[in-house]
Amino acid sequence: MTMSPFDNQPDPELGRLLRERLTGPAPEAFLRRLRLAVAAERADQWDVLAGWARPRVLAAAIAAGFFLWLGAWFTQSAIHDDPGITMAATLPAQTVVSSQAPAVDDIMLALRERGPR
Amino acid sequence: MEDAELAQRAVRGDPEAFGSLIDRHGLAARRAARAILRDEDDADDAVQEGMLAAWRAIERFDPARPFRPWLMRIVVNAALDARRRSKVRQAEPIAETLESGGLAPDRMAEAALLRARIDAGLAELPERQRIALVLFDAEGWGHADIAAALGVPEGTVRSYVFHARRAMRQSLGTLAEGMK
């Protein structure tokens, strides 16, 4: 053992003694224990993530469905409430597609057929 | 595969890469923890705690920097925390682990004496000197890496190693010569 305090290189003999003294029993089992602990930690992380995700994914799906339905409902209402579209639906086809203005009689006939709202 | 590459994979969430890093540095971490705690169960628990803390914090690791001091700093801090928590407890001596099988009775007695001298020498060292000595002489770390792990300047590490070696020389005397 050189044991010089001024030596800038590791002392192999002192290093060996320290390693033997401090390594401890069953080093392979110890490393396995560490790896298992990390693997278990990772599994826990996924469980937490999955536990967090499931109800939120469900809530998001329900919300998306609701908004889709709401959007469709508004669109339908807007179509039904548009007097131009409603009127066009009751006018004779030749009146709607014609390039000329409809005759007053055609409009009155359509209004009579539609009846009061 | 280099530490840096394994660390990069671990940062991306590869547990196998982190497992390989554990295989590489787990025992050095155990020796450092045992140098701090001197109780093998506490030391093993501290290393495990440190490794888990490192795994949880792996996304914050900068792959441009060396992995070993980063990991060891976390483990050393975990061991120091465990030591603070268990300060009221009496430190138990390290179990007999030095190989002495097959030695004649006089050599076995000498080996036991050497173990006792190493324990006594380590016990007398201030904590950071003990860690620096173990990392430098037992693990072959450079002063810069030890400085990074302990969070002190490199010159301080040189001083730690200098004083620790001098104390160990006094503690071991000529006894270690006979163990070669």
Side-chain angles (χ1 to χ4, degrees):
Chain A
M1 182 180 297
T2 57
M3 293 298 285
S4 167
F6 303 104
D7 196 345
N8 221 14
Q9 297 299 316
D11 182 326
E13 184 62 14
L14 176 61
R16 182 184 66 80
L17 290 170
L18 289 171
R19 278 194 302 275
E20 285 178 352
R21 193 72 194 111
L22 296 172
T23 293
E28 292 301 321
F30 174 67
L31 293 175
R32 201 163 46 246
R33 168 188 158 176
L34 292 181
R35 291 186 75 136
L36 285 173
V38 169
E41 171 82 2
R42 189 163 183 270
D44 285 350
Q45 284 173 345
W46 278 111
D47 285 348
V48 169
L49 201 61
W52 176 88
R54 267 193 295 270
R56 277 159 184 78
V57 167
L58 189 63
I62 291 170
F66 172 74
F67 283 118
L68 279 174
W69 173 80
L70 203 62
W73 185 80
F74 270 122
T75 308
Q76 282 296 108
S77 299
I79 289 170
H80 285 302
D81 290 347
D82 187 326
I85 293 173
T86 310
M87 176 65 77
T90 57
L91 286 174
Q94 70 273 16
T95 307
V96 178
V97 298
S98 171
S99 58
Q100 294 176 346
V104 175
D105 289 347
D106 287 341
I107 293 172
M108 294 308 291
L109 180 65
L111 286 173
R112 244 196 330 272
E113 284 174 357
R114 187 178 165 212
R117 292 193 72 189
Chain B
M1 197 181 295
E2 295 291 318
D3 271 9
E5 193 176 342
L6 286 170
Q8 268 184 334
R9 288 185 177 197
V11 168
R12 289 196 293 266
D14 181 351
E16 280 306 308
F18 195 76
S20 299
L21 289 167
I22 286 177
D23 286 346
R24 278 187 196 181
H25 304 297
L27 293 182
R30 189 188 209 188
R31 286 189 282 269
R34 283 163 67 95
I36 295 167
L37 287 160
R38 312 209 62 247
D39 171 80
E40 63 181 48
D41 291 334
D42 286 353
D44 285 1
D45 289 347
V47 175
Q48 182 171 321
E49 206 173 297
M51 291 292 181
L52 288 175
W55 171 244
R56 287 183 208 118
I58 193 70
E59 287 176 4
R60 294 200 293 274
F61 170 69
D62 177 4
R65 301 176 71 88
F67 178 78
R68 192 172 65 166
W70 180 81
L71 175 71
M72 197 59 78
R73 188 168 188 170
I74 293 174
V75 171
V76 164
N77 282 336
L80 292 173
D81 283 347
R83 186 180 165 86
R84 275 190 286 275
R85 284 198 302 270
S86 66
K87 210 135 198 179
V88 289
R89 290 190 354 227
Q90 186 69 33
E92 296 167 22
I94 295 172
E96 300 296 314
T97 54
L98 193 65
E99 290 295 328
S100 56
L103 294 179
D106 59 332
R107 299 283 286 171
M108 284 177 66
E110 205 174 57
L113 183 59
L114 180 61
R115 283 195 295 270
R117 293 269 182 90
I118 293 172
D119 287 353
L122 287 173
E124 284 173 13
L125 293 178
E127 198 164 70
R128 286 179 177 262
Q129 284 186 24
R130 203 159 57 226
I131 300 166
L133 179 77
V134 170
L135 293 181
F136 187 78
D137 279 319
E139 307 304 333
W141 285 35
H143 293 111
D145 280 356
I146 299 172
L150 294 181
V152 297
E154 212 174 307
T156 307
V157 172
R158 290 179 192 277
S159 169
Y160 285 163
V161 173
F162 170 85
H163 289 292
R165 281 178 157 184
R166 190 168 61 179
M168 285 302 282
R169 181 175 55 184
Q170 285 170 358
S171 185
L172 294 177
T174 56
L175 194 61
E177 297 287 344
M179 291 306 298
K180 284 180 182 175

